[in-house]
Structures are given as structure tokens and as C-alpha cells.
Amino acid sequence: RELFDKGRFREAEQELARFIQATEKPTDPKVAPAEISPAMIFVMGNLYFQADRAEDARRAFLDAIRRFPRFRRAHTNLAYLYISKSQTDEAMPMLQKAIELGENSARVYGLLGYCHLLKKNAVAAETAYRQAYLLDAASRDWKLGLAQALMAQEKYPEAANLIGTLIEANPNDRQLWLQQTNAYLAMDRKDDAIINLEA
């Protein structure tokens, strides 16, 4: 705890590794081996993840889940790791399991929406992004994801309105103007599209 508080994560990792080794495989024959808490393995995984040691982190999170299959935070962090490596197929079941186990953060719903959007599951993406947006209405990412899910379903008026709120907050973002223009063209609102292109 002291090492964590001082930001000395490498030393904390070494201390934790020593503790796990000494508990599971004690060198003293008088000391019986004991089970390590899945929480300790999870902390180890977080330390690896922080140190950009993705494969070690993945193994640690999977080990924590093996020891305690309902370990919500381990499922969540493993999903974050997969997303960071663009492994959305692997991330999706982890995100779904985390939600099933009670996770309800905007980030988890938003990332699940992102996974569904990549797999072209527009309805599921919309549902997940709406939940993320409900929990964190200030997030640009969730609004943008929701707008893309709406566009994929040809819900152009709603998508154009949502992108309009993003343009108000980010008037210099050229891509937003172009996305709204596409929605206007799909609705045959050519004058609005021309105004956007001029802007």
C-alpha cells in the first residue's frame, strides 16, 4: 500500500510477486501452501497493464477470473485491455459478462456500443450508446457513436440533430459538418447541406 501511494509501482509489483510465490509455494517445509485471493492476482494484472505488459496482464486477469468466475472488475479490465489492443471480438464477451455481473459504467456501455458498431450491429450499438449517453451525457464519444449507429439505421433526422449538438460544442470540427451534411443529403435537404458545406 505504501509503495502504491508513493507511485512506486514496479517495486509494488515485485513485492506482490514475492508474496504470491511465498504463499503458494513456500520454501519453508513447515509452512503449508495457501491459496491466493483472486483480488491479489487482479492487482498484479493491473500493475502489468499499467506497465504496458499486455500479455502478462491478460494472463493475470484470466487467472483471477478462473479463480473467481464472477469477478466483475477482472472481466471489465480484461475488456479494456482487449480494446486497447483493437481486439474487439475478444472484448465484447468480457464487456457483456461484466454488465451481466452488475457493471453499469458509461465507459463499459460505450465500449460495448463501439464493438457492436464495428460488427455492424447497429440496433445493439444504438442501445448500448444510449445507455452510455444516459450515464454520461457530456461525453463526445458516446454522442458520436450514437449518431453513427442512427445513421447506419437510416434514422437521419435524429442523427442530424445529435450531430448538430456536437457541432455547437465543436464548431471547428470539419468531420462533424460533413457527417451532418450526409444526413441532410439522405433526407433530400439540399439547402441545409449546401449551408453546411459552405461553413
Side-chain angles (χ1 to χ4, degrees), residues 31-55:
V31 177
E35 283 227 11
I36 284 290
S37 161
M40 289 290 182
I41 306 298
F42 172 74
V43 170
M44 204 61 178
N46 283 340
L47 286 167
Y48 290 144
F49 195 7
Q50 224 170 19
D52 203 25
R53 292 165 58 191
E55 186 52 31

Side-chain angles (χ1 to χ4, degrees), residues 57-168:
R58 186 186 71 82
R59 279 199 299 268
F61 291 143
L62 285 171
D63 190 21
I65 291 167
R66 181 186 61 78
R67 292 167 188 250
F68 180 45
R70 296 185 55 79
F71 199 157
R72 186 182 75 216
R73 288 180 302 152
H75 283 93
T76 302
N77 284 20
L78 183 55
Y80 292 161
L81 186 148
Y82 284 139
I83 291 283
S84 75
K85 299 296 174 191
S86 300
Q87 295 174 291
T88 49
D89 286 345
E90 291 82 357
M92 186 181 283
M94 293 295 125
L95 293 166
Q96 290 167 326
K97 186 65 178 177
I99 290 168
E100 181 189 317
L101 294 171
E103 181 62 55
N104 65 351
S105 70
R107 186 178 182 200
V108 165
Y109 278 107
L111 290 175
L112 184 58
Y114 170 71
C115 291
H116 278 301
L117 200 58
L118 288 180
K119 292 182 83 65
K120 303 196 183 315
N121 300 332
V123 175
E126 178 190 349
T127 304
Y129 275 126
R130 282 193 188 281
Q131 187 66 29
Y133 183 36
L134 178 69
L135 296 169
D136 181 11
S139 172
R140 180 181 189 272
D141 290 339
W142 312 149
K143 286 181 190 173
L144 197 51
L146 177 54
Q148 289 170 342
L150 293 168
M151 288 285 285
Q153 296 173 79
E154 300 181 5
K155 296 180 178 179
Y156 302 120
E158 198 175 346
N161 288 338
L162 188 55
I163 296 168
T165 66
L166 287 165
I167 289 171
E168 285 175 21

Side-chain angles (χ1 to χ4, degrees), residues 181 185 189-199:
T181 299
L185 288 171
R189 288 171 55 181
K190 293 183 180 134
D191 288 346
D192 290 323
I194 288 167
I195 291 167
N196 269 24
L197 290 172
E198 286 177 349

